[in-house]
Amino acid sequence: MPKPRTSYICSECGAESPQWFGKCPSCNTYNSLEEQLITQSATLPSRGTWPGGARSNGKSVNHAEPKPRLSLKFSQISDRQEARWSSGYEEFNRVLGGGVVPGSLVLIGGDPGIGKSTLLLQVANQLSEERRILYVSGEESGQQVKLRASRLGVGENFDSEIEESEQTDLVESSELAEVQEPKLYVLAETDLEEILKELESLKPNLAVIDSIQTVFLPTLTSAPGSVAQVRECTAALMKVAKRDDITMLIVGHVTKEGAIAGPRVLEHLVDTVLYFEGDRFASHRLLRSVKNRFGATNEIGIFEMADRGLREVANPSELFLGNRDEAAPGTAIVVACEGTRPLVVELQALVSPTSYSSPRRSTTGVDYNRLLQILAVLEKRVGIPLSKLDAYVASAGGLNVEEPAVDLGIAIAVVASFRDRIVDPRTVLIGEVGLGGQVRSVSQMELRLKEAAKLGFQRAIVPKGQKFADYGLEIVPVSKVIDAIVAAIPAQPRFGGDEFSDYEEDEELEE
């Protein structure tokens, strides 16, 4: 038997090194190399011992006609399309690209306590009414899973149907037999070999692995959650999923930086990678797709955490819109797109004199570097002195809106706060701000305008040069930021001022 050797494997990228370094030579991550004992397997046969591998004078000895052994042409592959399953939650179906794909591997990551196990238990309960579901828990016992399920109302429909059937005197035994318990099976196990045996015996349609960092392969000497264990366990589950057509929903832990713990190859092995996000001070949760072989990436589903678990949000734009009845200076409405979903979001800005030698800039839900770029454009191209003022920009509801289409909304909100003016709450702003002060076009304009019209907005300030259908909106095309400021902030008295305020600043700006 070959002698085992010691190797150092990076926990971030999975690169292998013969000695320890303070920084990984592959991904340049500090303090990420971990020592592992590797047992050498039997050596592969040499090339000359393979069938047809012998060579003489650089030419193959076998003169037989070349033919495929296992490979197929596209015309020989069946074009049968598997019907997707409905998970019972439209938001979950949207993120997956239209439903659950049979035989796919879905990796779900998120912060501790965000609701990953809650979401998957609710999805498993919905699917168990028609299909066999196996819920593998490596972090909780069976009693603990049942306690959490009872809080979420899992299995209540079955219990209520049994009670109604027992209370009916005229019920027949055949009708009582038709009341079937949902086919949801729970396995509290961390040994991968036992999990694979259960998958082979039960043959479920869908299996939930909670979580991959707790599962271990006994043949490996490394601890559960290590790079080798996570990689090998995921590869074994992928092989079973593709062979037996079992859908796998795998929960993954995240690091303190927010990335899924384990080697990067873990995200390459699976078909779909989802992140469950949310603010611990807010009730809503965002399920975001960052990789999807069967649908659009960057798609989001929005849920709300309630006392009975997660529930879908019917109209997400209402979460991210402030009170439009009470106008306030420094606010602007934008339409952001997450995947194929348009979201109407309120941006809030506050500009005030600084008390320090260098002004402070702060963002919540908005890219910090884009704010600095927009402030520089406003000072250089528009002439607004912001270099000695503090600037704070936030999105209502805590949604991260980092796409360039919200640049125009940020610029208008900052100018409105600087001048204590109110932007018409029935106006939406869409456009990217260039370094030259121009307003550039963005993608998916049709979707954005439809969403704004559906929510009752009356006017849209958009980049110039595009033609749109009639959605019941007044379209105001602009080519420069200065034109957008004049259109969005008309002449009006200052907020909180008297009605006899002059309009000299507005006249100068228009000139």
Side-chain angles (χ1 to χ4, degrees):
M1 181 178 178
K3 183 179 179 180
R5 62 183 177 88
T6 301
S7 182
Y8 296 88
I9 300 178
C10 177
S11 60
E12 295 294 329
C13 66
E16 185 175 345
S17 176
Q19 62 180 5
W20 187 86
F21 294 99
K23 182 174 71 171
C24 174
S26 179
C27 65
N28 296 327
T29 303
Y30 286 93
N31 201 24
S32 61
L33 293 180
E34 299 177 356
E35 181 181 2
Q36 292 192 12
L37 190 65
I38 299 178
T39 303
Q40 294 280 359
S41 59
T43 58
L44 291 173
S46 63
R47 182 181 178 89
T49 61
W50 295 351
R55 291 182 177 273
S56 175
N57 297 327
K59 296 182 179 180
S60 176
V61 176
N62 188 1
H63 298 286
E65 182 182 354
K67 59 181 180 179
R69 180 172 172 267
L70 296 175
S71 57
L72 299 173
K73 297 180 181 179
F74 279 117
S75 59
Q76 297 173 322
I77 300 176
S78 173
D79 57 355
R80 176 177 59 93
Q81 296 183 357
E82 294 288 346
R84 295 175 182 256
W85 309 335
S86 174
S87 64
Y89 294 92
E90 291 300 324
E91 296 296 309
F92 194 72
N93 293 340
R94 168 190 285 271
V95 176
L96 292 179
V100 181
V101 177
S104 61
L105 265 76
V106 181
L107 178 63
I108 302 177
D111 294 333
I114 200 67
K116 303 182 296 296
S117 301
T118 300
L119 174 64
L120 293 185
L121 187 57
Q122 292 182 218
V123 170
N125 178 52
Q126 293 287 338
L127 290 172
S128 63
E129 297 179 0
E130 298 180 358
R131 295 174 176 85
R132 287 188 305 276
I133 310 297
L134 176 62
Y135 189 96
V136 180
S137 176
E139 303 175 348
E140 300 172 289
S141 64
Q143 290 78 12
Q144 292 173 330
V145 175
K146 183 177 181 180
L147 180 63
R148 181 160 53 89
S150 61
R151 178 179 62 85
L152 300 176
V154 174
E156 283 189 351
N157 295 335
F158 169 73
D159 296 336
S160 60
E161 289 178 2
I162 290 294
E163 291 178 0
E164 292 177 0
S165 301
E166 291 177 349
Q167 293 174 1
T168 305
D169 297 334
L170 301 178
V171 67
E172 298 180 1
S173 59
S174 59
E175 295 179 357
L176 186 60
E178 291 179 357
V179 182
Q180 297 181 356
E181 184 177 1
K183 293 173 285 189
L184 175 57
Y185 301 87
V186 178
L187 174 65
E189 185 59 68
T190 57
D191 190 340
L192 182 62
E193 293 182 351
E194 295 297 327
I195 296 174
L196 295 179
K197 290 178 182 178
E198 185 67 21
L199 291 172
E200 184 70 23
S201 175
L202 182 61
K203 297 187 183 302
N205 301 109
L206 181 141
V208 178
I209 310 297
D210 188 10
S211 63
I212 191 63
Q213 277 77 16
T214 61
V215 178
F216 69 95
L217 194 61
T219 56
L220 296 179
T221 57
S222 55
S226 62
V227 174
Q229 288 283 5
V230 171
R231 181 178 62 244
E232 296 301 325
C233 291
T234 306
L237 291 172
M238 180 188 67
K239 183 178 179 181
V240 173
K242 302 302 181 183
R243 183 191 63 195
D244 299 336
D245 210 23
I246 301 175
T247 302
M248 297 279 185
L249 302 181
I250 302 175
V251 176
H253 296 168
V254 296
T255 61
K256 59 182 179 181
E257 290 83 12
I260 294 180
R264 197 68 176 179
V265 70
L266 177 63
E267 299 186 23
H268 293 284
L269 285 174
V270 300
D271 299 314
T272 306
V273 180
L274 309 178
Y275 278 90
F276 209 32
E277 307 169 355
D279 188 354
R280 59 194 179 107
F281 300 109
S283 61
H284 64 271
R285 303 286 187 267
L286 303 180
L287 184 64
R288 187 184 304 273
S289 169
V290 297
K291 173 192 175 181
N292 193 352
R293 291 173 179 164
F294 312 111
T297 57
N298 294 324
E299 196 72 66
I300 67 167
I302 302 178
F303 297 86
E304 184 178 7
M305 182 64 76
D307 55 348
R308 301 283 287 178
L310 292 164
R311 62 185 181 187
E312 299 174 288
V313 177
N315 189 2
S317 295
E318 292 182 354
L319 278 176
F320 311 114
L321 274 177
N323 187 3
R324 294 161 59 188
D325 297 332
E326 298 180 4
T331 61
I333 308 297
V334 299
V335 185
C337 268
E338 296 289 344
T340 59
R341 160 170 276 173
L343 294 173
V344 180
V345 184
E346 179 183 289
L347 297 181
Q348 303 169 350
L350 176 63
V351 177
S352 63
T354 183
S355 302
Y356 306 97
S357 57
S358 59
R360 184 179 181 185
R361 280 82 168 88
S362 177
T363 61
T364 302
V366 178
D367 186 34
Y368 177 77
N369 293 324
R370 296 202 71 86
L371 172 63
L372 298 182
Q373 175 180 311
I374 293 170
L375 294 179
V377 170
L378 290 176
E379 182 156 7
K380 179 70 175 179
R381 306 300 179 187
V382 183
I384 300 178
L386 297 171
S387 58
K388 297 183 179 180
L389 300 175
D390 291 337
Y392 306 88
V393 178
S395 63
L399 178 69
N400 290 327
V401 284
E402 298 182 352
E403 64 165 339
V406 302
D407 287 357
L408 189 59
I410 296 175
I412 297 301
V414 170
V415 174
S417 176
F418 172 75
R419 303 179 60 197
D420 277 338
R421 300 299 170 88
I422 298 174
V423 180
D424 186 3
R426 297 166 296 180
T427 300
V428 295
L429 299 117
I430 306 169
E432 178 185 0
V433 175
L435 295 180
Q438 68 273 23
V439 179
R440 303 172 60 89
S441 60
V442 296
S443 61
Q444 298 177 312
M445 286 294 298
E446 303 287 342
L447 283 175
R448 302 174 197 267
L449 295 177
K450 285 181 181 179
E451 182 70 12
K454 185 178 70 173
L455 294 177
F457 290 90
Q458 299 179 1
R459 194 169 67 139
I461 300 178
V462 299
K464 194 174 183 179
Q466 299 183 27
K467 294 183 179 180
F468 308 102
D470 185 12
Y471 298 112
L473 290 171
E474 178 190 352
I475 304 298
V476 181
V478 295
S479 59
K480 296 182 179 180
V481 177
I482 187 69
D483 300 331
I485 295 175
V486 173
I489 310 175
Q492 56 182 307
R494 291 182 180 273
F495 183 76
D498 56 71
E499 58 181 353
F500 301 105
S501 300
D502 57 14
Y503 303 98
E504 294 181 359
E505 294 184 2
D506 296 280
E507 295 175 356
E508 293 176 0
L509 191 60
E510 292 178 1
E511 293 177 357

